[in-house]
Amino acid sequence: YMTEALQTNNETDANSIKYPYHIIKDSLQYIFMDNAFSICTLKNGNIYLVYSTRNNSIISFNLLNFQKLNEIKQAHKKEITNIRYYYDTINAYELILSISCYDSTIKIWILNSFKCILKLENIYEGGNLYSACFITDHGKNYIVTSNYTDNLYPIRIYDFDKKIVKEIDDSKDMIFKMDSLYDKKSSKNFIITCSYGFEKSYNFQENKLYHKYHDSDNCAHFDFLIHEYDDIIQLIESSEEGTIRFWNFHSGKLIKKITLNECFHMICLWDNDYIFAAIFDVIKLIDLKNGKIIKTLDDNQKDVNNVKGFIHPIYGKCLLSQNYEGIILWAKENNLQLNLK
């Protein structure tokens, strides 16, 4: 599940992204929540947007022809706050992991049919479940869960028989986001989390802390990306104090730090040289070479949280952002023809 910078062989100038198109108006956004929607690049070449709605439905939307595909109504009893896409290499399934933080419930769906193949309920009684991830290890699938309840509970690992197979003791943090990483070179799985003041990585097989990535602050870290650059796996993370840090994932050493007077929510890496960052009511473009903000995307948005990129076969590189009013597509074309149904 390595995050790659959004790249093509053609246009590489992030400054070309400037025209907004409101494509989704019924999506649910929960501020400071990771992955309130997901862009799914399928094995057959299709690119789907999957998001939750205000009435607790999950909808898949084809980003190639801008048409709604499937909907499962009342997918959860309470608001769906997290949508994740994974590929199940064992069964060759395109999967969606959905979370309702308010009732601590996780569901796994087969994307094309929206058939629910796993449901975990009341994972942390009396608490809020903010994030979770999917891992395949030694021929078995697992769900890894985080907590957000007075730092009482550790990370838990469930198998698909709904059994807790292990817990990680050194993980009782207020986790805002977690995800998995499979490192091909070492053939090892890792769990990554971000919390107040730091990120952590855990060796899944050994069930113990791998590294703690901490610099000098003690504020909320909301987002991170994993990216391989110059043969180094980098952990790129953002914080509410206005700092973006680049860490060597395997050594735990700080590579680079950019400090700006902003409160970063989610970030999107672009062409190795830029980052689009959601900052309250706008999106700002950061030039990583000089560490400066060089552009602002503002469409009278409110509480922008999520920002993600994808490559459209006709329109090239595009950006998706989300606020309380819906999901917006940003493109470099000012005459984009959308076929919305």
Side-chain angles (χ1 to χ4, degrees):
Y1 310 109
M2 190 81 69
T3 299
E4 297 292 343
L6 195 65
Q7 301 181 76
T8 65
N9 294 324
N10 300 315
E11 177 65 56
T12 59
D13 186 5
N15 266 304
S16 63
I17 302 298
K18 55 185 175 181
Y19 297 104
Y21 299 85
H22 294 248
I23 62 172
I24 304 295
K25 295 186 178 180
D26 61 343
S27 64
L28 170 73
Q29 186 208 35
Y30 189 82
I31 198 70
F32 299 148
M33 186 67 63
D34 88 270
N35 280 24
F37 69 88
S38 188
I39 297 175
C40 315
T41 302
L42 277 60
K43 293 295 181 180
N44 63 7
N46 283 326
I47 305 176
Y48 292 172
L49 163 66
V50 181
Y51 65 94
S52 61
T53 69
R54 298 180 182 93
N55 63 0
N56 303 342
S57 294
I58 298 176
I59 292 178
S60 60
F61 181 89
N62 192 324
L63 285 170
L64 300 185
N65 58 17
F66 304 109
Q67 292 188 16
K68 176 181 173 181
L69 295 169
N70 296 316
E71 177 179 2
I72 180 162
K73 297 182 179 180
Q74 294 296 310
H76 284 255
K77 295 178 182 178
K78 295 187 178 181
E79 290 97 329
I80 302 164
T81 50
N82 200 319
I83 296 287
R84 286 275 182 82
Y85 165 76
Y86 292 101
Y87 184 73
D88 177 1
T89 57
I90 297 174
N91 303 295
Y93 288 153
E94 314 272 358
L95 299 179
I96 291 297
L97 182 152
S98 62
I99 300 173
S100 173
C101 103
Y102 298 108
D103 60 8
S104 290
T105 298
I106 295 174
K107 293 185 179 182
I108 300 289
W109 314 82
I110 297 176
L111 176 56
N112 289 331
S113 65
F114 270 152
K115 177 184 177 181
C116 183
I117 60 173
L118 180 69
K119 179 168 66 174
L120 299 175
E121 297 181 290
N122 299 318
I123 294 171
Y124 295 110
E125 186 175 354
N128 292 326
L129 178 70
Y130 264 25
S131 193
C133 63
F134 173 89
I135 283 182
T136 298
D137 189 73
H138 289 85
K140 293 192 67 175
N141 291 329
Y142 301 92
I143 301 299
V144 185
T145 67
S146 69
N147 76 292
Y148 189 88
T149 310
D150 299 325
N151 302 356
L152 295 177
Y153 301 106
I155 290 173
R156 290 176 178 171
I157 294 94
Y158 291 79
D159 62 18
F160 269 51
D161 292 323
K162 303 182 182 181
K163 297 178 181 178
I164 300 175
V165 295
K166 55 185 174 180
E167 295 183 340
I168 300 177
D169 292 334
D170 185 23
S171 64
K172 295 180 181 179
D173 305 312
M174 191 176 290
I175 296 173
F176 293 105
K177 177 181 178 178
M178 75 182 328
D179 209 346
S180 55
L181 164 67
Y182 177 70
D183 180 16
K184 293 181 180 179
K185 292 182 179 179
S186 64
S187 299
K188 292 181 179 179
N189 277 299
F190 297 92
I191 302 165
I192 308 166
T193 66
C194 61
S195 308
Y196 270 106
F198 53 81
E199 279 70 33
K200 286 182 177 180
S201 58
Y202 300 91
N203 185 308
F204 181 81
Q205 289 89 350
E206 296 178 5
N207 200 36
K208 66 180 183 180
L209 180 69
Y210 185 59
H211 284 300
K212 180 177 180 179
Y213 310 88
H214 178 66
D215 185 20
S216 58
D217 68 332
N218 193 31
C219 62
H221 292 210
F222 291 124
D223 197 17
F224 64 83
L225 305 171
I226 298 294
H227 173 58
E228 186 168 356
Y229 185 70
D230 284 345
D231 206 34
I232 296 174
I233 296 179
Q234 295 183 358
L235 169 63
I236 307 170
E237 50 95 355
S238 63
S239 73
E240 66 175 351
E241 71 165 0
T243 301
I244 295 176
R245 295 178 178 88
F246 294 72
W247 301 88
N248 184 313
F249 178 79
H250 284 305
S251 72
K253 294 182 178 180
L254 184 65
I255 300 172
K256 180 179 181 179
K257 179 167 67 173
I258 296 173
T259 301
L260 300 163
N261 187 27
E262 303 288 351
C263 177
F264 294 122
H265 295 169
M266 311 303 279
I267 56 176
C268 173
L269 183 62
W270 194 281
D271 290 328
N272 294 319
D273 297 321
Y274 302 95
I275 277 181
F276 280 103
I279 304 173
F280 287 116
D281 295 341
V282 299
I283 300 166
K284 296 195 176 183
L285 177 62
I286 301 165
D287 188 329
L288 298 179
K289 291 181 180 179
N290 57 32
K292 294 182 179 180
I293 294 172
I294 60 174
K295 185 175 182 177
T296 298
L297 300 180
D298 186 1
D299 188 44
N300 297 317
Q301 300 190 71
K302 180 180 179 182
D303 293 321
V304 183
N305 185 20
N306 285 269
V307 57
K308 302 178 187 295
F310 72 101
I311 299 175
H312 193 281
I314 298 175
Y315 304 112
K317 291 178 294 184
C318 300
L319 196 71
L320 289 182
S321 66
Q322 185 180 35
N323 62 11
Y324 282 124
E325 296 178 353
I327 297 175
I328 296 173
L329 173 96
W330 298 85
K332 63 182 180 181
E333 302 285 345
N334 62 0
N335 59 349
L336 193 69
Q337 299 297 313
L338 298 180
N339 182 21
L340 300 178
K341 293 183 180 180

